[in-house]
Amino acid sequence: MSYIGMDISSNRIAVAEVAKNRNKFLVTNAAVFEVPQQVIEKGEIKDTKVVSNAIKEIWNYYRFRSNKVLVGLSNPKVIIKEIKLPLTDDKEIDSAIRYQINDLVPIAKDNITYDYFIVDKHNGSSDVMIAGAAKNIIDSIVESLRAIKINPAAIDLNCFSLYRTMDAAYDFQQAKTKKGAYCLVSIGKNISIINMVTEGQLKFPRFSNIGIEKFIDYIVKKLNLGYSEAEKILDTFDFDLSLDIQFDRKLASGELPNAGTQVKKNNHDIALNVAIKEASSQFINEINRSIDYFLNRYAAYHIEKIILSGDTFLNFDRFAEKETTFPVEQFKISQFYDLSALNKKTCYTGKSLEILGNQLTMAIGMALRGYGL
């Protein structure tokens, strides 16, 4: 038996079919499909017809075994919060949340879709994680899938998908150390995810608007390049260059040379480095903010490591470690999930399965939900 997970949070739709053999998860089929810009914007489907046609094309070409899927999305408008209720009975918790939901999640009561799960129970109280979204966000996903007879068995947030993918690999419950915490980061196309995990529990998940496209936009604006050219430059950029180069004060402050002027130092394009470093600093600040918020709430804890996944860059882990001062590890999905079945598919001949696997991180996490993880 296998389960199919789908991520439709950006103009890149990712689908992964995951089977289980003893204690090993196998990715038996997968697809990563680009749709035009602005069809899906920051987790919201703007054109259901285009999305439906794209997914139909995926199913026809890749021949997934089932039309039943588990869908993950990333959307900065979704509200996620952890609350404490002076209750321990499940029915009382459910009633309390139903009654208070519009105070807890500031979305109009006739336009809210929400879910929750009980994180932990104490003597006389419970910690509950609540997620709420506007109905139209969910309805557009359902409409896009049902139009082509695909059944969305569940719709979930990708912050939980990321946790499942990582937890199945690292087993946070077993590997936890006393007062230790992990920061899980997934860099997406236009939305990234930052999760804190301690004692096997997800804490303070958040979505960030800084993703791959933010880096590309910086290169386009600072170097006066086209989008495709900037995208190619970023694909091959080595963050070791940013570690090696000493910027002078003028360049480091963002005062770049005139467009078209080539300024090099140690045979590297300083202007390019400054543009990418500027975008990187914003992203690193997002990570540091999440860590600072966690440590302010849990002062006795320490950060074991930051684990990077998704659309990462060459040696970005080394750069992030220097900028955050915490240990940073690059998540290598092929070390934990068997991707070998994809080698047999002609569509993946000559392609890097590691890069493909990184793009499937959320889809794999949604498939794992089918196994009760």
Side-chain angles (χ1 to χ4, degrees), residues 174-343:
Q174 298 299 321
K176 66 184 181 183
T177 58
K178 189 176 182 180
K179 301 298 183 184
Y182 298 85
C183 179
L184 314 183
V185 179
S186 179
I187 305 174
K189 191 85 174 189
N190 48 37
I191 302 173
S192 297
I193 300 170
I194 305 171
N195 288 342
M196 301 302 302
V197 175
T198 184
E199 298 183 0
Q201 295 180 355
L202 179 62
K203 297 286 185 182
F204 313 128
R206 60 188 293 254
F207 297 108
S208 168
N209 285 321
I210 300 178
I212 293 292
E213 290 189 348
K214 178 71 73 174
F215 286 80
I216 294 172
D217 287 344
Y218 266 91
I219 298 171
V220 168
K221 292 174 183 177
K222 297 291 187 181
L223 276 73
N224 195 26
L225 299 174
Y227 185 93
S228 296
E229 187 178 358
E231 191 174 29
K232 290 177 182 178
I233 289 173
L234 187 61
D235 283 343
T236 58
F237 184 80
D238 186 348
F239 270 81
D240 270 351
L241 303 183
S242 290
L243 290 171
D244 294 340
I245 294 176
Q246 298 295 318
F247 298 101
D248 65 41
R249 183 174 299 176
K250 179 177 289 188
L251 291 174
S253 67
E255 296 179 35
L256 302 180
N258 295 328
T261 303
Q262 293 297 311
V263 177
K264 295 180 181 294
K265 188 173 184 179
N266 299 333
N267 296 320
H268 301 311
D269 190 330
I270 297 295
L272 172 62
N273 275 270
V274 171
I276 292 181
K277 187 164 184 177
E278 194 171 320
S280 303
S281 295
Q282 286 197 27
F283 188 68
I284 295 296
N285 285 341
E286 292 279 286
I287 297 173
N288 283 331
R289 280 173 55 202
S290 290
I291 291 175
D292 289 345
Y293 184 78
F294 171 82
L295 292 176
N296 284 335
R297 295 286 298 273
Y298 296 89
Y301 285 73
H302 66 274
I303 304 301
E304 290 282 330
K305 67 175 70 171
I306 299 169
I307 306 174
L308 298 176
S309 64
D311 289 283
T312 52
F313 316 103
L314 184 61
N315 290 314
F316 186 67
D317 52 336
R318 289 187 61 219
F319 177 83
E321 186 165 284
K322 177 178 177 293
E323 296 295 312
T324 63
T325 71
F326 298 111
V328 177
E329 179 176 310
Q330 175 66 56
F331 179 60
K332 297 187 182 300
I333 202 162
S334 60
Q335 291 182 0
F336 302 101
Y337 295 90
D338 189 345
L339 306 178
S340 59
L342 302 180
N343 280 319

Side-chain angles (χ1 to χ4, degrees), residues 81-97 115-122 124-131 160 173 200-203:
K81 64 193 306 184
E82 186 175 316
I83 63 169
K84 185 179 288 290
L85 293 174
L87 304 165
T88 56
D89 181 79
D90 290 357
K91 289 184 179 179
E92 291 181 349
I93 290 172
D94 185 74
S95 295
I97 291 173
D115 201 357
Y116 70 90
F117 68 91
I118 300 169
V119 177
D120 201 6
K121 290 185 177 182
H122 313 282
S125 67
S126 299
D127 297 327
V128 181
M129 185 80 74
I130 297 177
F160 303 116
Q173 287 285 353
Q201 295 180 355
L202 179 62
K203 297 286 185 182

Side-chain angles (χ1 to χ4, degrees), residues 120-190:
D120 201 6
K121 290 185 177 182
H122 313 282
N123 290 330
S125 67
S126 299
D127 297 327
V128 181
M129 185 80 74
I130 297 177
K135 283 183 179 179
N136 64 291
I137 295 173
I138 307 301
D139 290 345
S140 63
I141 295 173
V142 174
E143 180 184 341
S144 299
L145 293 172
R146 288 185 175 167
I148 50 174
K149 296 181 169 45
I150 290 180
N151 176 29
I155 298 176
D156 204 350
L157 298 180
N158 276 334
C159 52
F160 303 116
S161 301
L162 176 61
Y163 175 81
R164 280 191 291 268
T165 302
M166 294 288 192
D167 189 42
Y170 290 93
D171 193 357
F172 295 121
Q173 287 285 353
Q174 298 299 321
K176 66 184 181 183
T177 58
K178 189 176 182 180
K179 301 298 183 184
Y182 298 85
C183 179
L184 314 183
V185 179
S186 179
I187 305 174
K189 191 85 174 189
N190 48 37

